[in-house]
């Protein structure tokens, strides 16, 4: 078993209206940052968990995403797994 | 008849719903707590508005996994009438009992004022007391009521007469300015395929007495009572 840090990036689906992103884009525009074509606002969830290996950590997180962390109707998710440290056997 | 009002941590329209139900002859409302696992043999279930679990993650996303929702799901799949109002609608979408999702209002603003909605179908246990095309004046109060669903789902809702309420102008028109949140097809409320689960953003429980400025919401609860007393056992 190892400990993993898993980052889950949840973003509004492409093509879906993202009023929050739009508001941020307008704010950037009014600050003089020209040429920002698009802003999408999502969220980042950082998990720490134990798993046999990186693939198992990813598989478990995918299940969590489908069940709770992302709404399949409106959001996409992206998972990044990095190993923290092996768990000492007792 | 007994109707359960579910209270989640963060629900804030549960007492309004309870009170609205109390106004009707023969109705015994009962509160159920989110940790309960049993509905106790009630005849219908109401999921009230509010901010269950602080709207953390997504509105309704966590309430959906509360213990009582297992019982509500089983009750609904068994044909029992379930109404979700505002946050209750969001919970029903998250739980998969209704299709689609409620996104942030297009305006990004929390909208709280009376709107007009048009009754699109009377063929539900919740709208038989109204006329098709009737315009109701009922308050909304939400930041995430922008109904969204894939085009094929919207087509299905339209084709199967499952859009129950649409935001409209006082004279029943569908002008864009009558749509307070950007909802697809002006959708304010829908039913599931079996027509026993209704989700709606406007608050009928806030329009049940003259003092509140409108009694247009009463018909919804009256329809449900009529449905239940007609012996259509859930």
């Amino acid at each position: 078993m190892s400990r993993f840090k898993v980052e889950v990036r949840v973003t509004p689906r492409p093509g879906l209206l993202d009023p929050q992103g739009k508001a941020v884009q307008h704010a950037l525009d009014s600050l003089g940052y020209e040429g920002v074509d698009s802003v999408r606002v999502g969220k980042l969830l950082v998990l720490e968990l134990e798993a046999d290996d990186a693939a198992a950590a990813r598989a478990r997180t995918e299940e969590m995403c489908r069940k709770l962390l992302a709404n399949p109707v409106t959001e996409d998710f992206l998972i990044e797994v990095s190993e923290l440290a092996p768990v000492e056997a007792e | 008849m007994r109707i359960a009002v579910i209270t989640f941590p963060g629900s804030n329209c549960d007492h309004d719903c309870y009170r609205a139900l109390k106004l009707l002859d023969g109705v015994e409302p009962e509160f159920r707590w989110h940790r309960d696992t049993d509905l106790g043999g009630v005849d219908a279930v109401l999921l009230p508005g509010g901010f269950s679990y602080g709207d953390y993650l997504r509105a309704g996303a966590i309430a959906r996994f509360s213990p009582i929702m297992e019982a509500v799901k089983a009750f609904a799949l068994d044909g029992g009438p379930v109404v979700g109002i505002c946050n209750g609608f969001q919970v029903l979408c998250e739980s998969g009992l209704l299709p689609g999702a409620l996104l942030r209002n297009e305006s990004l603003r929390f909208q709280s004022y009376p709107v007009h909605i048009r009754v699109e179908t009377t063929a539900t246990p919740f709208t038989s007391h109204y006329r098709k095309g009737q315009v109701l004046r009922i308050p909304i109060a939400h930041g995430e009521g922008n109904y969204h669903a894939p085009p094929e789902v919207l087509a299905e809702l339209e084709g199967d007469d499952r859009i129950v309420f649409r935001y409209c102008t006082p004279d029943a028109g569908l002008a864009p300015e009558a749509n307070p949140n950007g909802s697809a097809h002006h959708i304010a409320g829908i039913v599931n395929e079996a027509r026993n689960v209704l989700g709606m953003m406007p608050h009928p429980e806030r329009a049940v007495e003259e003092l509140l400025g409108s009694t247009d919401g009463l018909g919804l609860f009256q329809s449900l009572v009529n449905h239940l007393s007609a012996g259509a056992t859930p």
Side-chain angles (χ1 to χ4, degrees):
Chain A
M1 292 282 262
S2 288
R3 277 194 83 69
F4 293 92
K5 182 169 112 175
V6 182
E7 295 197 338
V8 182
R9 210 183 313 159
V10 180
T11 46
R13 290 221 144 152
L16 195 82
L17 180 83
D18 174 18
Q20 241 186 132
K22 248 191 172 148
V24 174
Q25 189 184 349
H26 285 149
L28 288 173
D29 190 56
S30 65
L31 285 172
Y33 293 103
E34 283 163 30
V36 180
D37 293 330
S38 162
V39 179
R40 313 282 287 170
V41 177
K43 51 192 148 212
L44 177 70
L45 295 96
V46 184
L47 284 59
E48 282 185 28
L49 51 85
E50 282 179 21
D52 284 338
D53 52 34
R58 176 177 295 274
R60 257 184 92 199
T61 310
E62 266 175 21
E63 193 190 315
M64 293 177 206
C65 285
R66 275 192 295 272
K67 215 166 170 180
L68 173 68
L69 303 181
N71 182 330
V73 182
T74 57
E75 296 171 325
D76 287 329
F77 61 84
L78 199 95
I79 298 171
E80 251 173 67
V81 181
S82 52
E83 187 164 350
L84 289 171
V87 176
E88 298 282 329
E90 305 221 340
Chain B
M1 64 200 62
R2 293 159 54 224
I3 300 179
V5 178
I6 312 292
T7 305
F8 300 101
S11 294
N12 63 13
C13 301
D14 43 343
H15 284 265
D16 306 57
C17 286
Y18 185 95
R19 191 183 148 74
L21 290 169
K22 264 280 187 208
L23 295 172
L24 299 165
D25 281 337
V27 177
E28 283 300 325
E30 299 174 14
F31 287 117
R32 287 285 179 280
W33 182 231
H34 70 122
R35 283 220 190 94
D36 291 341
T37 51
D38 191 352
L39 286 168
V42 295
D43 302 300
V45 174
L46 235 153
L47 301 178
F51 301 85
S52 57
Y53 300 87
D55 272 357
Y56 293 160
L57 196 62
R58 296 180 306 278
I62 299 183
R64 159 203 175 183
F65 290 107
S66 61
I68 195 68
M69 280 309 291
E70 279 301 310
V72 172
K73 226 170 164 171
F75 179 79
L77 294 176
D78 204 32
V82 175
V83 183
I85 299 167
C86 199
N87 189 225
F89 187 10
Q90 295 162 338
V91 174
L92 289 172
C93 285
E94 282 283 344
S95 69
L97 286 171
L98 290 174
L102 293 144
L103 302 175
R104 190 158 306 209
N105 293 348
E106 213 168 58
S107 65
L108 280 177
R109 274 193 292 267
F110 189 96
Q111 307 282 24
S112 179
Y113 49 75
V115 297
H116 293 93
I117 55 174
R118 196 171 74 188
V119 179
E120 298 294 293
T121 176
T122 54
T124 79
F126 319 101
T127 51
S128 60
H129 205 69
Y130 296 122
R131 272 176 295 105
K132 190 178 158 89
Q134 188 176 343
V135 174
L136 314 175
R137 190 166 175 273
I138 290 186
I140 54 164
H142 60 250
E144 292 169 17
N146 179 353
Y147 184 78
H148 170 85
E152 64 274 16
V153 172
L154 290 172
E156 207 181 294
L157 291 174
E158 292 280 2
D160 295 345
D161 193 31
R162 286 168 53 194
I163 298 171
V164 181
F165 300 111
R166 267 187 242 264
Y167 300 109
C168 66
T169 58
D171 56 358
L174 293 182
E177 59 270 23
N179 186 343
N181 50 32
S183 283
H185 297 210
H186 284 237
I187 287 173
I190 56 169
V191 281
N192 64 342
E193 210 178 338
R195 310 185 83 76
N196 63 309
V197 178
L198 165 73
M200 62 188 297
M201 288 314 294
H203 287 273
E205 81 281 9
R206 296 190 191 176
V208 292
E209 286 167 290
E210 288 298 345
L211 191 64
L212 298 171
S214 167
T215 55
D216 289 351
L218 265 182
L220 187 131
F221 301 106
Q222 192 60 58
S223 301
L224 177 59
V225 168
N226 294 353
H227 170 79
L228 292 173
S229 43
T233 41

